[in-house]
Amino acid sequence: MSWTRESLIAAARDAATRAYAPYSNFHVGAALGFADGSVVTGANVENASYGLTLCAETVAVGKALSEDWRGRLEAVAVIGGKAGAVGAGDPVTPCGRCRQVLNEVAALGDNDPTVWCVGENDVLELVLSDLLPRSFGPSSLS
Ligand code: THU
């Protein structure tokens, strides 16, 4: 595993600089850390039809699964904030849809990944099952 908590957070922070968020002006970056050492990032992508917005975590999962199968998801870092103040304020936790989207890739790698939600004064360390207890996933369909 070549990434660390700090490098994953730094990757999420860097990804947030590439957010396309002209409507909310709220820039989010997410970084997925896999057991093979790879890191896949995403940033939020908004749309003039507001409801079509893609969150940073969802973009990262889409990249990870569509580019290649990365195996076991070990950790996720999420950071956000108004443009020019990313990481300021309270920790940003993944929205409900993103929790479900993350759950899919977590289940594929049979792991309950750590989720680091970055705030100004603290990094909230959770696991995905804290955020999405009693989840519906691939095994629910069997
Ligand atoms: N957003 C994310 O990218 N991830 C989340 O988990 C919460 C919200 C984005 C969506 C939208 O572009 C902006 O933050 C404001 O809601």
Side-chain angles (χ1 to χ4, degrees):
M1 214 162 69
S2 57
W3 48 266
T4 63
R5 184 184 98 140
E6 293 321 311
S7 72
L8 207 61
I9 291 171
R13 189 185 290 277
D14 180 62
T17 66
R18 290 182 291 281
Y20 173 68
Y23 306 109
S24 72
N25 208 32
F26 194 84
H27 293 194
V28 183
L32 312 179
F34 290 88
D36 69 353
S38 59
V39 172
V40 180
T41 62
N44 52 331
V45 179
E46 296 188 344
N47 192 280
S49 179
Y50 298 167
L52 300 184
T53 289
L54 300 174
C55 288
E57 302 91 319
T58 292
V59 169
V61 169
K63 284 171 63 180
L65 293 186
S66 62
E67 286 173 355
D68 202 358
W69 164 235
R70 312 285 168 136
R72 185 178 164 98
L73 178 64
E74 296 278 4
V76 181
V78 183
I79 191 167
K82 289 285 180 192
V86 168
D90 292 336
V92 169
T93 53
C95 80
R97 182 176 189 268
C98 287
R99 294 174 195 201
Q100 181 67 28
V101 169
L102 287 166
N103 185 64
E104 187 77 15
V105 64
L108 288 174
D110 197 24
N111 195 30
D112 187 11
T114 302
V115 182
W116 289 305
C117 306
V118 181
E120 189 167 354
N121 301 315
D122 61 327
V123 175
L124 195 57
E125 181 173 308
L126 304 166
V127 288
L128 186 58
S129 62
D130 293 329
L131 292 164
L132 192 69
R134 302 183 67 85
S135 63
F136 183 88
S139 66
S140 309
L141 295 172
S142 58

